[in-house]
Amino acid sequence: MNETTAPQERKPIIFSAIQPTGIMTLGNYLGAIKNWADLQDQYDCIYSVANLHAITVRQDPAKLKKATLEIYALVMACGIDPQKSLFFVQSHVPAHAELAWVLNCHTQFGELNRMTQFKDKSARYADNINAGLFTYPCLMAADILLYQADLVPVGADQKQHLEITRDIAGRFNGLYGETFRLPEPYIPKTGARIMSLQDPTKKMSKSDANPKAFISLLDPPETILKKFRSAVTDSEAQVAYREGKDGINNLMGIYSVVTGKSYEAIEEEFQGKGYGEFKTAVGEAVAEHLRPIRERYAQLMNDKAYLESCCREGAQRASYLAGKTLSKVYKRVGFLPLEKR
């Protein structure tokens, strides 16, 4: 009797991207990139360095080129395996810009005008309110829809972009027939929202004017310790997680993520101990947690040939998948095909 093998169930597709601007902070890592690595075995993961998005703000070309390769290496050092995940540089896949134009033509001016990120960036970069900044959500929609993503990890500041992506895809499907899968938000079961070490009511940000407010993934251990020792806390001198203790709550959250300890275990560990001892322990734990990342990053940056080969292979795989969707879109809207000979 012949046995038949059951067809393998399709894994849901997850898409996410990171811009190559500035440094990657502990907040970026614990809040997003660490989750990217954790998702690789459960999902078909597609990740990108979004350098097309980066130029909505003026960039120094040499610095952007350098930063693109560096962030590619750093994401790999954080655990993204190009054998498990599809990882590529956005500008290496022309289909992103091509689909973005088609989606521009299916997105209403009023929809884009309501986007809060456009309003925020227009205020911040008042001398460069360009068309790309305005149509940014269409390119983001193209990023997601090209790969027929099921899920997109989103923070509070990205929910609106996913909503407009779904609106654009739904409108296109309604006009031309089912073309795009409508992506859903992916909310991790345990998320880490890392706050500023100097103002724990604000999210940790690489653009903070105070360098003591954030931890860079590539900070040396002594710098990490120094920054944690100067972290803002309160006058209670009790390590406990509760309302009104923003600084301690933030440090406990960080310590919990990098050690795997529960808040209850942390409170017990530091019962009767001062904040100085606690802040030192958090700094040491973070420095040790980031050590393999720093070491792997250094190895990768010393092997540019390998990095570039990963970029090429990622671009080839991404172009194949994106091309299938783009061909379908071009056929749907009535573009004249170029006959193969």
Side-chain angles (χ1 to χ4, degrees):
M1 183 172 150
N2 292 330
E3 291 186 4
T4 56
T5 305
Q8 193 171 11
E9 190 176 344
R10 182 183 74 85
K11 288 183 180 179
I13 298 168
I14 278 189
F15 178 89
S16 197
I18 184 170
Q19 288 198 36
T21 50
I23 57 176
M24 193 190 296
T25 69
L26 182 68
N28 300 137
Y29 170 66
L30 295 181
I33 306 302
K34 185 176 183 295
N35 290 331
W36 285 16
D38 294 341
L39 295 170
Q40 290 179 113
D41 293 323
Q42 299 171 259
Y43 300 93
D44 276 339
C45 296
I46 302 175
Y47 299 130
S48 177
V49 177
N51 57 339
L52 294 178
H53 287 291
I55 64 169
T56 58
V57 176
R58 290 282 177 266
Q59 303 289 338
D60 178 291
K63 288 181 180 176
L64 178 61
K65 182 180 178 182
K66 181 172 179 284
T68 300
L69 194 62
E70 288 174 345
I71 200 73
Y72 191 91
L74 190 51
V75 170
M76 284 180 62
C78 289
I80 299 307
D81 182 348
Q83 299 304 313
K84 288 183 177 180
S85 299
L86 172 50
F87 184 36
F88 65 97
V89 175
Q90 187 186 29
S91 64
H92 290 167
V93 184
H96 287 253
E98 295 178 69
L99 181 58
W101 172 251
V102 177
L103 299 185
N104 279 338
C105 299
H106 292 81
T107 306
Q108 300 304 300
F109 187 94
E111 290 177 303
L112 295 173
N113 204 37
R114 287 193 292 271
M115 301 299 288
T116 55
Q117 197 167 79
F118 171 68
K119 294 173 184 175
D120 293 345
K121 286 199 172 183
S122 296
R124 204 184 320 162
Y125 305 104
D127 60 339
N128 182 28
I129 306 174
N130 58 71
L133 189 63
F134 188 67
T135 61
Y136 180 101
C138 296
L139 178 56
M140 185 174 282
D143 298 337
I144 297 165
L145 298 176
L146 273 172
Y147 302 99
Q148 304 293 347
D150 296 285
L151 299 165
V152 180
V154 289
D157 58 341
Q158 295 294 335
K159 284 181 181 176
Q160 201 180 25
H161 282 134
L162 186 59
E163 287 167 6
I164 196 172
T165 296
R166 288 174 55 84
D167 290 343
I168 295 167
R171 179 180 300 128
F172 193 96
N173 288 350
L175 288 168
Y176 303 106
E178 289 301 311
T179 307
F180 299 119
R181 187 173 292 135
L182 268 59
E184 298 284 348
Y186 173 80
I187 311 296
K189 291 178 183 176
T190 54
R193 183 173 169 82
I194 308 302
M195 313 305 281
S196 162
L197 298 181
Q198 295 298 308
D199 182 357
T201 63
K202 296 192 312 184
K203 194 175 176 182
M204 183 179 284
S205 171
K206 60 192 173 187
S207 59
D208 200 305
N210 185 351
K212 292 181 180 180
F214 61 85
I215 302 294
S216 163
L217 255 61
L218 300 177
D219 277 342
E222 58 272 18
T223 301
I224 293 173
L225 271 173
K226 191 174 181 181
K227 288 182 179 181
F228 273 107
R229 283 171 177 157
S230 68
V232 169
T233 52
D234 55 56
S235 58
E236 282 190 2
Q238 183 185 8
V239 177
Y241 193 97
R242 61 172 177 265
E243 193 174 343
K245 293 173 70 69
D246 295 331
I248 289 296
N249 292 348
N250 186 40
L251 295 180
M252 288 181 70
I254 293 169
Y255 193 61
S256 175
V257 173
V258 299
T259 64
K261 295 178 181 178
S262 67
Y263 288 165
E264 292 79 8
I266 296 168
E267 289 178 5
E268 187 176 337
E269 181 182 353
F270 293 96
Q271 189 172 10
K273 297 178 182 177
Y275 283 169
E277 192 172 345
F278 175 54
K279 290 196 282 188
T280 295
V282 178
E284 289 174 344
V286 168
E288 180 57 26
H289 187 81
L290 298 182
R291 180 182 54 77
I293 294 173
R294 291 191 300 271
E295 291 174 353
R296 178 62 177 150
Y297 173 78
Q299 290 171 354
L300 288 167
M301 290 305 293
N302 283 327
D303 192 352
K304 297 285 178 61
Y306 173 68
L307 272 181
E308 288 167 1
S309 72
C310 288
C311 285
R312 279 194 301 272
E313 186 178 332
Q316 289 166 359
R317 290 171 58 203
S319 294
Y320 172 74
L321 292 176
K324 291 203 295 185
T325 296
L326 188 65
S327 294
K328 188 186 293 185
V329 168
Y330 275 16
K331 185 177 180 181
R332 291 276 201 266
V333 299
F335 289 167
L336 184 67
L338 185 63
E339 299 297 337
K340 293 179 181 178
R341 292 184 180 274

